[in-house]
Amino acid sequence: MSYLEHRHIEFENVLSYRTRTDSEKLGALLEFIKGNADALGLEITGNIAFTIQEMYEFTNKCILGLEVLAPVNKAFESGERCVYKPKFRLVNAVSARCGFNFSDLIRTSNSIRNYLSEKHLKAISDIYYIAELSDDCVLADAYDAVVSVDDNLL
């Protein structure tokens, strides 16, 4: 697996949406968010990011607790389901490309953690997965897994 260092990811006017979904329906959730932002009078202006905050594994499925972040065209008033964040930023980040299915996400997450350990780098953010967008839909062939690291030398 190849890694990119010193990445900078920044979104302005961010829609934050927290939810739970079946790991097999992650792509459909991202499609839904992209396709329905206009119901809030918003337009998604860039790639969508998400982080896995909790995971419940069962015999036949896995439920993920997620925060989904999407840059939108303007500021908006926070509501019960969506919260406005002025900015989202990952600086001095390490990233790796991963496949779109859940096992690829977990494998890449573990690989990034091992890479950070080998390089003596300290993660200072959760791992975020960036889904590239096309005009039609969320591209389901790959995500970028990205984590900010501390650049202080002690």
Side-chain angles (χ1 to χ4, degrees):
M1 181 169 294
S2 62
Y3 304 91
L4 295 173
E5 293 186 17
H6 308 294
R7 301 245 353 242
H8 182 88
I9 310 284
E10 187 168 343
F11 299 165
E12 291 190 22
N13 295 324
V14 180
L15 178 147
S16 170
Y17 177 66
R18 292 180 188 239
T19 191
R20 291 188 175 128
T21 190
D22 186 312
S23 62
E24 299 299 316
K25 297 178 180 175
L26 179 58
L29 172 67
L30 299 178
E31 293 274 353
F32 176 81
I33 291 169
K34 181 179 187 271
N36 290 285
D38 61 342
L40 300 170
L42 302 171
E43 178 185 329
I44 294 180
T45 59
N47 296 331
I48 294 177
F50 65 91
T51 188
I52 300 170
Q53 298 179 319
E54 57 187 356
M55 190 168 33
Y56 300 99
E57 295 184 73
F58 302 99
T59 306
N60 60 347
K61 66 181 166 181
C62 182
I63 302 299
L64 305 175
L66 306 169
E67 180 181 20
V68 180
L69 302 165
V72 294
N73 59 324
K74 61 185 178 182
F76 63 93
E77 188 172 326
S78 296
E80 293 176 14
R81 299 188 192 272
C82 298
V83 173
Y84 173 75
K85 294 184 176 183
K87 284 190 186 256
F88 167 74
R89 183 181 304 143
L90 295 172
V91 295
N92 195 35
V94 172
S95 72
R97 178 66 47 122
C98 59
F100 69 94
N101 67 44
F102 180 65
S103 61
D104 289 339
L105 297 180
I106 297 305
R107 193 172 21 260
T108 302
S109 172
N110 291 335
S111 179
I112 284 179
R113 285 187 182 97
N114 289 337
Y115 177 82
L116 296 180
S117 178
E118 290 169 7
K119 296 284 191 170
H120 305 288
L121 299 170
K122 179 182 175 188
I124 58 171
S125 76
D126 291 336
I127 295 176
Y128 286 85
Y129 302 93
I130 311 293
E132 294 182 21
L133 299 181
S134 68
D135 290 339
D136 305 356
C137 62
V138 175
L139 296 179
D141 59 348
Y143 297 126
D144 284 328
V146 185
V147 60
S148 282
V149 295
D150 187 351
D151 62 353
N152 291 319
L153 298 174
L154 302 176

